[in-house]
Amino acid sequence: MSFTKLSTMFSSLRTRMSQKLSRQESPRLIQERKDIYIAMLASTFRQNRIRARDESFRNTDGGAECSSLEALYDKSESELESMSLPSMTIVELRRLLQQRYGTEVTSIFKGFETVENKLRAGRIPLVKDLLGREYKEDEKLIWEYGKEGRDSSFLRRKRCAIKNVLDYKDWRSDVIGDDDDDDDNVAIDNVDDEDDNIDAFGNHQLICDDIVIRALRNAQIMNLSKAALLKEEFGYSTLALRSTIPNAGKGLFVNGGAMAGSILAFFPGEVWPREHLINRSVNSHFANDDNFQLSIRYDDIIVDSRSSPYNILDANPWALAHTVNHPPAAPAAKPNCRALTLNYTRDMGLDDDLVKFVPNVYARKPYLLTPAAAHERDDVLMHGLMLVAERDVLDEELFYDYRFNDVEGMVLPEWYVPCDAEETKSRWAD
């Protein structure tokens, strides 16, 4: 099924949900209901596709194929209808979403642990083999995408990134040969106003400290290798590279193909529970957010990613949601993922080998006796946020709607254009 057709399905769902949820609740609660319903539908659709062993997300439109997916989509809608979601309280809906995605998070963390063990055992020979295979596979995909008229910006960036680290390690002749052409290095894209001093990773090339360069290159090799192994594990992974948006620095890309409803990334950083935010003494802490990396959940818990790493990552290789950009206004792009609340709970089975992948810490611990805590029966270890695919995504840059709160006195950046002004207004309404 084409991405356009799938996006149209979910767009029509938003319209129907607006009509269904005209209940006596605040616009903000109604908007949260819509977001949860769409996320639940995408997840249910994904599960039904997996059960049907449908791998059509790498294919273009085809009659029988589309009919098959449309039938699965209708089935998914029917399953949600039978659950009577509109009659549930917002707390019940949040818990339902948590149950649905909690199991998937645990599975992803187990995949992270598997990949860590493989790299620990294989070391340099495995890394060189991985980079060589990725480079050659991407070369074939670029040719195929060119024939099909698909965008290959991500693949070209990744090939440039692989060349950069191979040259640094003097592995190029061993892995891909010296006679390989440098076509991918021609401005990566033909974007006239990009800074030529930014490399394929989105980093400044004028860094001249040998220790910093060595640390960066070693981290980049590890990130590329983990991405390759995780793609083998799940069918997709993510990589932070130079954004396709001119002068935007880094962006996050999906490496491979992920179905709508798939978890793509986690927001790292300090977590500020709501009860601490009413203390005026902490206001100054949030004064500077030049890179727009303060994220707030519907329950008013803040995830502060401003000090989180981009290159030398902690244990979680997908803790890169803070590098995802808002869709550009020109050329116009739509969000292909959305931010969703996630709690890391005891019933997820996060033992010592897995809990290290939780990419958050509390700036200040939550109080035990608050109205919010009374409803969290799952024994929350940590509050968090994640990005989930809104549609099928394939070898492309990820974008999500920042939904800035346009309050009086706030100066919004020139590049920001709301994706859906009505949804954004509802998100912040009382």
Side-chain angles (χ1 to χ4, degrees):
M1 177 180 282
S2 72
F3 298 157
T4 303
K5 192 172 185 68
L6 195 56
S7 296
T8 302
M9 284 182 174
F10 284 100
S11 295
S12 64
L13 172 68
R14 288 190 180 91
T15 303
R16 298 199 301 280
M17 286 303 296
S18 297
Q19 296 166 350
K20 277 187 179 181
L21 297 177
S22 56
R23 54 170 67 207
Q24 295 302 311
E25 286 183 330
S26 70
R28 177 172 173 169
L29 278 179
I30 292 175
Q31 185 58 51
E32 184 179 3
R33 284 179 175 275
K34 290 180 189 176
D35 288 353
I36 291 176
Y37 190 95
I38 291 168
M40 286 294 297
L41 177 61
S43 175
T44 304
F45 185 40
R46 175 176 175 270
Q47 288 181 350
N48 284 331
R49 291 172 71 180
I50 291 173
R51 290 191 192 104
R53 303 195 179 279
D54 191 327
E55 298 178 353
S56 64
F57 53 87
R58 277 192 180 273
N59 299 323
T60 54
D61 270 334
E65 204 162 55
C66 285
S67 297
S68 172
L69 283 180
E70 285 173 356
L72 288 172
Y73 181 88
D74 292 340
K75 177 185 177 184
S76 303
E77 272 203 288
S78 297
E79 289 176 7
L80 287 195
E81 290 287 340
S82 68
M83 296 170 67
S84 303
L85 298 190
S87 66
M88 291 185 179
T89 66
I90 198 66
V91 172
E92 290 171 333
L93 285 172
R94 288 174 182 173
R95 191 174 298 128
L96 185 65
L97 187 70
Q98 172 67 32
Q99 291 168 350
R100 175 62 61 86
Y101 278 102
T103 303
E104 186 179 346
V105 170
T106 303
S107 175
I108 288 171
F109 283 8
K110 288 179 178 177
F112 293 167
E113 180 70 9
T114 298
V115 163
E116 270 196 1
N117 291 335
K118 284 182 180 178
L119 285 172
R120 196 177 296 121
R123 306 212 173 203
I124 289 178
L126 174 61
V127 168
K128 292 172 75 171
D129 180 61
L130 284 170
L131 295 181
R133 277 192 285 131
E134 284 288 291
Y135 187 88
K136 290 165 186 174
E137 286 174 10
D138 289 346
E139 184 176 29
K140 294 177 183 176
L141 282 174
I142 289 171
W143 183 78
E144 290 175 10
Y145 284 13
K147 283 178 57 180
E148 298 167 3
R150 290 187 183 182
D151 183 13
S152 61
S153 299
F154 161 67
L155 297 173
R156 293 182 183 280
R157 278 165 169 72
K158 191 170 76 165
R159 275 166 57 89
C160 285
I162 292 173
K163 282 180 182 177
N164 287 345
V165 298
L166 291 179
D167 285 341
Y168 177 77
K169 286 289 190 179
D170 200 22
W171 290 349
R172 184 167 174 173
S173 58
D174 294 340
V175 174
I176 61 175
D178 291 320
D179 58 345
D180 188 79
D181 64 73
D182 281 333
D183 288 347
D184 297 322
N185 282 311
V186 181
I188 303 179
D189 292 312
N190 295 319
V191 180
D192 295 332
D193 59 345
E194 288 222 48
D195 187 344
D196 289 336
N197 291 317
I198 304 298
D199 66 12
F201 290 100
N203 296 320
H204 211 284
Q205 297 190 90
L206 298 183
I207 297 173
C208 50
D209 187 309
D210 289 341
I211 296 176
V212 173
I213 292 173
R214 182 165 63 250
L216 271 177
R217 289 304 186 214
N218 286 335
Q220 288 161 353
I221 288 170
M222 189 57 61
N223 296 342
L224 286 164
S225 301
K226 285 183 178 180
L229 288 173
L230 287 168
K231 188 173 69 170
E232 292 178 2
E233 191 82 13
F234 300 118
Y236 70 95
S237 59
T238 55
L239 271 174
L241 299 172
R242 180 176 176 171
S243 175
T244 58
I245 303 174
N247 305 312
K250 281 187 181 293
L252 189 64
F253 297 78
V254 64
N255 180 35
M259 295 180 186
S262 300
I263 295 174
L264 299 172
F266 303 93
F267 285 85
E270 292 186 332
V271 175
W272 287 81
R274 175 182 180 176
E275 56 267 28
H276 294 293
L277 302 178
I278 60 176
N279 187 338
R280 291 185 178 181
S281 66
V282 306
N283 288 354
S284 60
H285 180 77
F286 301 108
N288 299 313
D289 185 23
D290 295 339
N291 292 322
F292 309 101
Q293 292 176 340
L294 288 171
S295 306
I296 187 165
R297 305 183 351 160
Y298 271 108
D299 56 6
D300 296 327
I301 292 173
I302 287 179
V303 179
D304 182 357
S305 303
R306 292 174 298 176
S307 299
S308 299
Y310 302 111
N311 298 297
I312 304 174
L313 304 177
D314 295 326
N316 188 324
W318 287 3
L320 287 164
H322 60 311
T323 66
V324 177
N325 291 305
H326 182 80
K334 292 183 178 180
N336 50 21
C337 57
R338 68 171 52 223
L340 289 177
T341 294
L342 170 68
N343 293 332
Y344 301 96
T345 61
R346 295 190 190 282
D347 65 355
M348 289 167 63
L350 301 179
D351 57 24
D352 291 343
D353 289 332
L354 299 182
V355 75
K356 65 185 176 185
F357 298 119
V358 175
N360 305 102
V361 295
Y362 283 118
R364 295 186 183 179
K365 290 190 176 181
Y367 297 147
L368 295 178
L369 298 176
T370 65
H375 294 298
E376 291 178 340
R377 302 172 186 171
D378 295 324
D379 204 2
V380 176
L381 296 170
M382 182 62 59
H383 295 86
L385 272 172
M386 61 183 174
L387 285 176
V388 172
E390 275 206 342
R391 59 163 173 80
D392 291 354
V393 286
L394 172 65
D395 290 331
E396 61 186 285
E397 184 166 3
L398 298 174
F399 301 111
Y400 83 99
D401 187 353
Y402 281 11
R403 287 182 175 175
F404 283 149
N405 187 7
D406 190 9
V407 295
E408 186 176 351
M410 181 175 180
V411 179
L412 298 177
E414 292 182 1
W415 48 258
Y416 176 73
V417 176
C419 300
D420 188 315
E422 192 60 36
E423 284 191 358
T424 300
K425 181 179 178 181
S426 297
R427 167 65 180 87
W428 299 104
D430 294 329

